[in-house]
Amino acid sequence: MDRDDEQLLRRRVYRAEHDHSSPQHDRVYAELIGGLLDGLLLDITGWTAEETETGVALMTELGQFGAGGRALYDPRPGERNRWDWQGDGP
């Protein structure tokens, strides 16, 4: 295991159960960059190329819209595993 793998395994996964909040070796993750979910990993295992190009609206109670709000993330061009924050939505 190299240093990058070790750092990945110390991270938390977005919306994972407490006892499964660490990344697993057999899963594929995108790093969330910026915004309130900065540094969390999004499990994109099994997502199609189209799904990983579209971006997501992830539930969070911490954003501008409070409970029921969303943090909007789009994949960084040319980097399937790094998604940048675009803002908050209702």
Side-chain angles (χ1 to χ4, degrees):
M1 180 180 315
D2 66 18
R3 187 173 189 181
D4 290 336
D5 287 339
E6 289 176 20
Q7 288 180 335
L8 176 73
L9 291 175
R10 291 188 204 136
R11 309 285 287 283
R12 289 185 47 235
V13 178
Y14 168 79
R15 305 226 5 130
E17 303 268 339
H18 179 67
D19 21 333
H20 300 294
S21 63
S22 296
Q24 305 298 311
H25 289 288
D26 61 340
R27 310 294 294 175
V28 178
Y29 300 95
E31 178 184 9
L32 301 176
I33 301 168
L36 294 166
L37 303 178
D38 183 54
L40 292 179
L41 301 173
L42 177 64
D43 188 345
I44 58 171
T45 304
W47 290 28
T48 66
E50 183 178 324
E51 289 171 324
T52 60
E53 292 171 1
T54 304
V56 292
L58 301 172
M59 292 179 13
T60 180
E61 297 179 2
L62 304 173
Q64 175 183 356
F65 296 93
R70 306 280 192 269
L72 310 174
Y73 285 86
D74 285 338
R76 187 175 285 183
E79 295 187 53
R80 176 180 184 232
N81 295 335
R82 294 176 61 94
W83 292 34
D84 294 311
W85 180 65
Q86 303 301 312
D88 293 334

